[in-house]
């Protein structure tokens, strides 16, 4: 590693979150356990609200699509026959959420509910988004050099904005020009990066994507997007082939922007 020159045609930097801007441990040891520990209480407290019912509706639709998968948990409809039935439906939602999370699924339905729960956690001060210390100074330099900066994460756009809006570095949302989640497409499919480029208004080779996941890096490369793989404490190890093939950085400060000289 060391200094990695950014290709001259790059106009935008696209950032993953988990393992890139933010420690994996924060997601795995703070955010996800919060959902598992509080989902039943959250559903009971918000069940009658329109937003919660939309979330449950999406989860129910996802459960129908998942019905052929081993261990899938169906979510029955309510018939309005009392508290016992309501508890059974809520428990089915809880079990479905736990099942999806046990498989580390990235469904929009799951991410939407999680985002709404995390909104409560951040707003009440129960959670603050953790950011690696090199991230904010580096992004400020990139922006001063005229670079646009975007986020692309499997977490919902709302969850992304909460993490950066209630972060250990304060509210840093102003540093980002836009946010993308799995509604634009899965991170392991090359078409997603073409859609992002079209949304930004540039060519795919005008984008540099930073991620810790080789499968995502490969998909971005297939779309002719520039890629660097980020090595952070706690990230999954890379194979020797991956280490030799990809450009690697361990800190955002290792990126060298020719336009900034």
């Amino acid at each position: 590693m060391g200094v990695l020159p950014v290709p001259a045609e790059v106009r935008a930097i696209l950032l993953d979150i988990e393992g890139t801007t933010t420690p994996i441990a924060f997601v795995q040891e703070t955010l996800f356990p919060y959902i598992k520990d509080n989902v039943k209480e959250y559903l009971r407290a918000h069940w009658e609200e329109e937003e919660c019912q939309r979330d449950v509706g999406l989860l129910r639709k996802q459960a129908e699509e998942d019905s052929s998968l081993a261990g899938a948990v169906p979510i029955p409809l309510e018939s309005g026959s009392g508290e016992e039935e309501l508890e059974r439906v809520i428990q089915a939602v809880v079990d479905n959420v736990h099942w999806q999370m046990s498989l580390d699924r990235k469904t929009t339905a799951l991410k939407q509910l999680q985002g709404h729960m995390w909104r409560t956690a951040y707003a009440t001060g129960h959670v603050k988004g953790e950011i690696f210390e090199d991230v904010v100074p580096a992004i400020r330099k990139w922006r001063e050099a005229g670079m646009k900066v975007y986020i692309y994460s499997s977490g919902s756009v709302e969850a992304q904005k909460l993490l950066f809006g209630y972060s250990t570095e304060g509210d840093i949302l102003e540093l980002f020009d836009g946010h993308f989640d799995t509604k634009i497409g899965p991170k392991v499919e090359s078409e997603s990066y073409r859609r992002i480029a079209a949304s930004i208004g540039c060519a795919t080779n005008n984008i540099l994507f930073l991620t810790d996941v080789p499968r995502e890096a490969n998909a971005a490369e297939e779309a002719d997007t520039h890629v660097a793989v980020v090595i952070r404490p706690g990230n999954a190890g890379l194979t020797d082939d991956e280490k030799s093939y990809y450009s690697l950085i361990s800190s955002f400060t290792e990126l060298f922007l020719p336009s900034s000289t």
Side-chain angles (χ1 to χ4, degrees):
M1 290 175 274
V3 173
L4 178 65
V6 175
E9 68 264 30
V10 169
R11 298 288 179 268
I13 296 179
L14 184 64
L15 301 174
D16 171 47
I17 293 178
E18 183 179 353
T20 300
T21 67
T22 298
I24 283 179
F26 170 69
V27 178
Q28 295 181 344
E29 297 172 13
T30 300
L31 287 186
F32 286 166
Y34 179 86
I35 300 296
K36 291 178 181 177
D37 293 344
N38 292 280
V39 62
K40 181 179 282 189
E41 179 184 343
Y42 177 87
L43 290 168
R44 284 174 173 163
H46 299 277
W47 189 260
E48 300 299 329
E49 297 171 16
E50 184 178 341
E51 180 180 81
C52 185
Q53 283 301 303
R54 285 198 302 268
D55 292 346
V56 172
L58 273 183
L59 286 165
R60 184 177 283 119
K61 183 179 178 183
Q62 183 66 50
E64 292 168 0
E65 294 175 9
D66 293 340
S67 60
S68 61
L69 300 180
V73 180
I75 301 173
L77 288 166
E78 289 180 81
S79 62
S81 60
E83 286 296 318
E84 283 190 18
E85 186 210 39
L86 175 59
E87 277 300 308
R88 282 196 297 271
V89 176
I90 288 176
Q91 188 59 52
V93 177
V94 171
D95 293 344
N96 179 278
V97 167
H98 285 182
W99 173 71
Q100 289 202 60
M101 292 182 69
S102 73
L103 300 176
D104 193 28
R105 302 194 69 206
K106 311 291 186 184
T107 65
T108 297
L110 176 63
K111 294 300 177 184
Q112 181 167 297
L113 174 67
Q114 289 174 329
H116 292 152
M117 288 186 62
W118 286 326
R119 180 179 60 201
T120 301
Y122 283 111
T124 56
H126 284 89
V127 171
K128 280 189 179 293
E130 292 185 29
I131 311 293
F132 287 114
E133 62 181 14
D134 58 277
V135 170
V136 171
I139 293 176
R140 292 195 191 283
K141 287 185 178 179
W142 300 343
R143 292 179 63 86
E144 288 169 7
M147 196 70 66
K148 298 287 189 179
V149 183
Y150 298 87
I151 296 292
Y152 182 28
S153 172
S154 57
S156 69
V157 167
E158 180 172 18
Q160 298 171 28
K161 290 181 176 179
L162 288 168
L163 191 155
F164 294 115
Y166 295 90
S167 84
T168 50
E169 303 293 324
D171 182 349
I172 57 172
L173 284 171
E174 66 178 10
L175 298 180
F176 306 108
D177 295 281
H179 298 257
F180 300 95
D181 59 19
T182 52
K183 289 180 180 177
I184 200 92
K187 296 175 74 180
V188 294
E189 292 184 5
S190 58
E191 186 59 30
S192 303
Y193 300 89
R194 297 186 185 97
R195 293 189 191 115
I196 287 172
S199 176
I200 291 172
C202 67
T204 51
N205 72 346
N206 296 141
I207 298 172
L208 170 64
F209 178 46
L210 304 184
T211 179
D212 64 311
V213 181
R215 284 184 66 208
E216 296 174 3
N218 184 58
E221 275 202 337
E222 286 180 359
D224 200 27
T225 297
H226 295 283
V227 169
V229 172
V230 183
I231 311 296
R232 297 285 199 184
N235 287 7
L238 303 177
T239 66
D240 289 341
D241 285 346
E242 289 166 345
K243 289 176 183 176
S244 61
Y245 178 77
Y246 291 110
S247 298
L248 307 177
I249 62 171
S250 60
S251 167
F252 285 6
T253 59
E254 293 170 11
L255 289 185
F256 174 70
L257 275 58
S259 59
S260 65
T261 59

